[in-house]
Amino acid sequence: GWSGRWDVLETMRKVYMAVQEPDEGEAKVETHRDVNEESVECVSVPDSYFFWERLSCKGPRKNPDRGSPVEYTRPLYKRSATAVGSWGCTEGAFAGSANRPTTEIFLVVEGAGNLTDLDGTVHSWRAGDLVVLPKGWSGQWDVHQPIRKIWAVISHDEALSIEASRRVFVGRAEDFVLSKLSSDGPRKADWGDAICSSKELWEFGPMELGAWACTPGGFQVVNRPTTEVFVVLEGSGFLTNLDGTARRFGPGSTVVLPKGWSGRWDVLETMRKVYMAVKEPDESESKIESDFSRSDRLVGS
């Protein structure tokens, strides 16, 4: 029923699926529509969504130990235990929050600096690194070059061990290049090979952090058991919701696949991503009532 026009600006190549569907008046379509109305949709934004000029200035960081750091932020997603967004900060040094109430996982898009644990252990970070600030952590930030990061903050009841809560975790960009991933074999695909590989980087309680890659192919996902947040490092494709709306992803895209999401992947170019998956409580049972602004205030802490 669609009518419109194409404007092909560069020579294009596509994979397609065409189906002869029954008239909308038939019962099968009405039943399918009822299911779609309750479906959970994915979220996907391009890298430009979190460019510096798209972030909102929060103002100077209070009580810095060095310099005059200024913070910038932009939220993207908040549901149940997981919040996602971006944060930026100019050069300077300052104390993080004492005894973090949540765990934060972030990808450094640009910048360089250090995070120092209370016992003086220094963890350097730079563009491309994955960093975990665990629940219970206290320490110091030292931003040498302005940082811009994509973050996920997770509220969880599980307490880390004393040792784990004292330590920042840093996964180096070179740890999740394609050659460092282990083969998981092919997915059950309806086109292409969809051969996958992965590497787990960090895990605790409801949270898992890792890298994943997939060759071209298309496959279905039904009722995701976890919420996944990922950033695409290379490759491109589409994620399609049950209602047929599609979201394109490419290098730099930030994507959220909520718990309960069903849909399909179409990987057009071999992709590689870093991801965080969290087992969230059922919304009807969740005790987590923290609002988005609370999660946002903890970023950079």
Side-chain angles (χ1 to χ4, degrees), residues 32-33 35-37 39-41 240-247 262-263:
H32 187 60
R33 186 175 298 164
V35 173
N36 287 346
E37 288 175 355
S39 65
V40 177
E41 293 191 356
T240 305
N241 298 307
L242 279 181
D243 65 2
T245 57
R247 302 287 183 266
S262 296

Side-chain angles (χ1 to χ4, degrees), residues 16-35:
Y16 72 90
M17 184 277 291
V19 59
Q20 293 180 334
E21 295 188 302
D23 294 336
E24 290 191 0
E26 296 187 19
K28 287 184 179 180
V29 175
E30 291 300 323
T31 301
H32 187 60
R33 186 175 298 164
D34 290 341
V35 173

Side-chain angles (χ1 to χ4, degrees), residues 56-283:
S56 298
C57 182
K58 294 176 65 177
R61 181 85 184 192
K62 294 181 179 179
N63 304 315
D65 298 315
R66 178 182 63 81
S68 302
V70 177
E71 298 180 277
Y72 300 81
T73 188
R74 186 176 189 182
L76 173 65
Y77 172 91
K78 175 69 177 79
R79 182 184 178 191
S80 188
T82 305
V84 182
S86 182
W87 179 80
C89 187
T90 59
E91 297 96 329
F94 48 89
S97 62
N99 191 26
R100 279 191 62 91
T102 59
T103 292
E104 179 186 348
I105 299 171
F106 63 85
L107 174 70
V108 182
V109 179
E110 59 181 280
N114 295 327
L115 285 160
T116 305
D117 301 329
L118 278 184
D119 65 3
T121 303
V122 178
H123 308 270
S124 65
W125 48 263
R126 62 185 188 275
D129 289 345
L130 275 171
V131 181
V132 179
L133 300 181
K135 180 179 179 179
W137 181 78
S138 301
Q140 179 83 6
W141 278 82
D142 197 342
V143 180
H144 299 156
Q145 299 172 10
I147 178 178
R148 184 165 58 91
K149 67 180 184 181
I150 297 168
W151 53 263
V153 170
I154 305 97
S155 300
H156 56 94
D157 293 332
E158 293 87 346
L160 281 72
S161 68
I162 294 177
E163 181 62 22
S165 65
R166 291 175 177 172
R167 293 279 176 263
V168 169
F169 170 83
V170 179
R172 299 297 182 194
E174 57 267 26
D175 293 337
F176 37 89
V177 296
L178 194 58
S179 61
K180 296 288 186 71
L181 308 187
S182 300
S183 176
D184 299 323
R187 295 281 302 233
K188 185 178 180 182
D190 47 42
W191 71 268
D193 295 324
I195 299 173
C196 302
S197 55
S198 63
K199 181 178 181 179
E200 184 179 294
L201 299 172
W202 184 86
E203 182 179 17
F204 176 80
M207 297 161 291
E208 177 185 320
L209 177 66
W212 183 83
C214 185
T215 64
F219 50 89
Q220 300 281 348
V221 173
V222 179
N223 194 19
R224 276 194 61 90
T226 61
T227 291
E228 180 184 352
V229 181
F230 66 85
V231 179
V232 180
L233 302 179
E234 59 182 308
S236 64
F238 287 89
L239 289 158
T240 305
N241 298 307
L242 279 181
D243 65 2
T245 57
R247 302 287 183 266
R248 184 186 183 278
F249 62 81
S253 293
T254 299
V255 180
V256 183
L257 300 179
K259 177 181 178 180
W261 181 76
S262 296
R264 66 172 288 115
W265 283 76
D266 286 288
V267 179
L268 305 184
E269 299 174 301
T270 297
M271 71 163 292
R272 183 169 56 94
K273 67 180 183 180
V274 288
Y275 71 88
M276 182 280 299
V278 57
K279 298 175 183 177
E280 295 187 301
D282 293 335
E283 292 190 355

Side-chain angles (χ1 to χ4, degrees), residues 4-53:
R5 61 173 283 117
W6 283 74
D7 287 292
V8 180
L9 305 182
E10 298 177 309
T11 299
M12 70 167 286
R13 182 169 59 93
K14 68 177 183 179
V15 292
Y16 72 90
M17 184 277 291
V19 59
Q20 293 180 334
E21 295 188 302
D23 294 336
E24 290 191 0
E26 296 187 19
K28 287 184 179 180
V29 175
E30 291 300 323
T31 301
H32 187 60
R33 186 175 298 164
D34 290 341
V35 173
N36 287 346
E37 288 175 355
E38 300 175 0
S39 65
V40 177
E41 293 191 356
C42 65
V43 176
S44 179
V45 295
D47 57 350
S48 59
Y49 188 87
F50 292 134
F51 282 178
W52 280 104
E53 59 269 24

